Amino acid sequence: MTISKDEQERLYRYYTEPMLVTSLTRSTLALVLAGGEGSRLKHLTAWRAKPAVPIGGKYRIIDFPLSNCVNSGIRRIGVLTQYKSHSLIRHLQRAWGFMRAEIGEFVEILPAQQRTHKKEWYQGTADALFQNIDIVQRHHPEYVLVLGGDHVYTMDYSEMLLYHVQAGADFTVGSIEVPVAEASSFGVMSVDENMHITHFTEKPVNPDCIPGKPGIALVSTGIYIFSKDFLYKTLVEDAGNPHSSHDFGKDIIPASIASAHAIAFPFRNKDGQPAYWRDVGTLHSYWQTNMELCSIEPELNLYNRDWPIWTYQPQFPPAKFIFDDEGRRGEAIDSLIAGGCILSGARVKRSVLFFATTVENRSLIKDSVILPKVSIGRNCRITRTIIDKGTVIPDGTVIGEDPVEDAKRFHVTKEGITLVTPAMLGQNLYARWQDEFDG
């Protein structure tokens, strides 16, 4: 039987590409930038770094990029921390300590240590890498994958890595299509027909549209792959530039386009459509991302056994729903309810309840995000609200129905989402739980 040339090439790719991908992932070091303050999340980041903010009922935001690394076969990972990092570091130690250094895999914490002669904290994303350049070189990677620690998505980085290598690129930027009205919050790219980046502007006032796609812009997801020699050379040059803010999006990417081989990797799902990717940078986007997880068929599938999201799981019993009387029935509809929760004659609709939360008789929770260890009393009505960890809500409290009245005690966003913390109710961090505060 004669095999055609096309079939021979297909078979060659079928058998050799998996081996090539494995070789590439083993030659890659992932660096997760997790030092951001996240000031737009307001009081949610008063005592924790943005990547440590709880999400989805049982996770922290940083669990998503870290899980993507592990599931992609990239098991050499450094996490760069700075702002209020205690709860983040504790979570990394608890959730990600299963990596085995004996076989060359690790999640290594790289805190800001003033490691250069300037004795400064991290001054930007590029400076964070430069201050750890000796540590990076010690691991001898061929490729360096740079990730934000504050985005929610699932992605096989090995596909982007193979794309980068086959293109012979100096650096590759993960990209996604968004409405142009939303693009001003991101780095916006222009590309040619071969996805070579021709222009890059960080948070432009008037973003460019994709040619042939009016109203749609191509933006950076903050996912970068660098070939090692280009990265080392560029970091050293940027560190010596007194006019640089030492940031990838503001300085290194725009300045390198003319002289480097820079390409964009389109992040798409199996149907060829833009994949699910969320920057939970504001209270509204944080609330919205949690609400999307309550959908009947959410775009981000937490139940995909082929792509698990790993995290630390406290040892709490199953959630419990008690009483079945009219007006006093423990039930949850279109909601995520974590372990240790007790709905005692209370009703929950389209909401996310984190672990060890209790809701008492005849209370109603709708369209809300309730963080761990919250206690909600009797006859309460909570709507479109985010309640921070450990808050005690007194009997008869109504939140989310009168924004003017709510604004007198709580923080209310322009979209009408109310944020409630223990401090806003005059409570300390240990109002209910006497254990160590962990953010």
Side-chain angles (χ1 to χ4, degrees):
M1 181 178 67
T2 303
I3 300 178
S4 68
K5 185 177 180 180
D6 287 346
E7 182 64 9
Q8 289 177 0
E9 291 179 353
R10 188 191 70 79
L11 288 171
Y12 177 79
R13 289 195 302 271
Y14 179 82
Y15 286 107
T16 60
E17 278 196 0
M19 292 185 289
L20 174 58
V21 167
T22 300
S23 175
L24 293 176
T25 55
R26 288 178 176 174
S27 302
T28 300
L29 174 68
L31 296 174
V32 183
L33 301 170
E37 180 178 353
S39 58
R40 292 181 299 164
L41 287 176
K42 304 299 180 182
H43 305 78
L44 281 184
T45 51
W47 295 103
R48 55 170 80 94
K50 182 181 173 185
V53 171
I55 196 163
K58 63 187 297 184
Y59 308 100
R60 305 280 185 133
I61 295 174
I62 198 170
D63 290 326
F64 287 87
L66 290 178
S67 295
N68 290 338
C69 285
V70 172
N71 293 333
S72 299
I74 298 171
R75 291 175 171 249
R76 299 194 299 161
I77 307 165
V79 181
L80 287 72
T81 65
Q82 180 161 272
Y83 172 84
K84 294 186 177 179
S85 59
H86 173 68
S87 64
L88 174 61
I89 290 173
R90 226 166 67 141
H91 175 72
L92 293 172
Q93 291 171 335
R94 290 175 170 181
W96 294 91
F98 62 86
M99 307 289 272
R100 298 304 299 266
E102 299 94 325
I103 58 174
E105 59 183 33
F106 54 82
V107 172
E108 191 170 274
I109 300 170
L110 303 174
Q113 303 175 66
Q114 301 186 10
R115 291 171 54 84
T116 65
H117 70 280
K118 294 182 180 179
K119 297 189 182 300
E120 295 177 328
W121 302 117
Y122 295 152
Q123 300 301 302
T125 54
D127 181 62
L129 264 66
F130 174 74
Q131 290 202 34
N132 291 284
I133 195 170
D134 60 321
I135 296 175
V136 175
Q137 291 173 330
R138 192 180 306 155
H139 292 301
H140 304 290
E142 289 297 319
Y143 309 99
V144 178
L145 170 66
V146 179
L147 307 168
D150 52 3
H151 301 144
V152 176
Y153 63 105
T154 58
M155 178 181 183
D156 188 345
Y157 299 134
S158 68
E159 296 178 359
M160 181 174 170
L161 184 59
L162 184 62
Y163 180 90
H164 170 86
V165 172
Q166 290 178 336
D170 292 314
F171 67 90
T172 300
V173 181
S175 63
I176 197 165
E177 297 178 4
V178 303
V180 71
E182 303 173 11
S184 294
S185 300
F186 306 99
V188 178
M189 290 174 281
S190 299
V191 297
D192 63 18
E193 64 277 5
N194 296 314
M195 297 302 287
H196 293 150
I197 303 173
T198 58
H199 190 65
F200 186 101
T201 308
E202 183 74 1
K203 298 181 180 178
V205 177
N206 298 304
D208 293 332
C209 295
I210 299 174
K213 292 187 176 182
I216 302 295
L218 188 69
V219 305
S220 168
T221 58
I223 303 168
Y224 309 116
I225 293 178
F226 294 95
S227 295
K228 61 166 185 172
D229 292 337
F230 171 82
L231 178 63
Y232 299 154
K233 174 177 176 292
T234 305
L235 288 177
V236 171
E237 291 176 350
D238 178 76
N241 181 358
H243 304 294
S244 174
S245 60
H246 310 300
D247 185 84
F248 282 113
K250 294 178 183 177
D251 305 289
I252 285 187
I253 303 300
S256 302
I257 289 173
S259 57
H261 185 190
I263 60 173
F265 174 78
F267 182 29
R268 299 191 179 113
N269 59 26
K270 293 180 180 179
D271 299 325
Q273 299 300 312
Y276 184 95
W277 178 89
R278 296 290 185 270
D279 177 3
V280 286
T282 65
L283 286 173
H284 181 257
S285 63
Y286 173 78
W287 171 84
Q288 187 175 44
T289 300
N290 278 282
M291 292 300 99
E292 289 169 349
L293 295 174
C294 294
S295 303
I296 296 174
E297 295 184 3
E299 285 188 69
L300 181 65
N301 182 11
L302 297 176
Y303 300 89
N304 182 359
R305 295 186 179 182
D306 295 327
W307 203 268
I309 306 302
W310 306 91
T311 192
Y312 167 71
Q313 302 194 58
Q315 296 302 308
F316 286 106
K320 185 163 70 170
F321 306 78
I322 55 177
F323 298 118
D324 189 22
D325 305 323
E326 192 63 34
R328 185 178 178 241
R329 180 173 292 117
E331 61 180 356
I333 303 164
D334 294 338
S335 299
L336 300 180
I337 311 297
C341 290
I342 301 176
L343 272 60
S344 178
R347 195 164 191 247
V348 175
K349 295 183 65 176
R350 297 182 302 275
S351 296
V352 177
L353 269 61
F354 287 73
F355 59 85
T357 285
T358 59
V359 189
E360 299 293 341
N361 286 327
R362 295 185 172 84
S363 287
L364 173 62
I365 313 297
K366 291 196 305 182
D367 304 309
S368 295
V369 182
I370 314 300
L371 270 64
K373 302 179 180 178
V374 168
S375 176
I376 298 174
R378 296 178 173 85
N379 300 305
C380 295
R381 298 197 307 274
I382 311 294
T383 307
R384 289 171 61 86
T385 297
I386 302 167
I387 302 181
D388 202 0
K389 181 177 181 177
T391 305
V392 177
I393 304 297
D395 294 348
T397 300
V398 177
I399 305 173
E401 298 181 8
D402 185 342
V404 175
E405 192 64 28
D406 287 343
K408 295 177 181 178
R409 296 190 294 167
F410 313 123
H411 178 86
V412 181
T413 73
K414 64 180 181 180
E415 298 88 0
I417 306 301
T418 305
L419 172 64
V420 180
T421 69
M424 293 175 185
L425 289 169
Q427 302 163 3
N428 62 42
L429 297 174
Y430 312 97
R432 182 182 177 205
W433 297 86
Q434 299 302 315
D435 57 350
E436 183 181 356
F437 177 71
D438 61 5

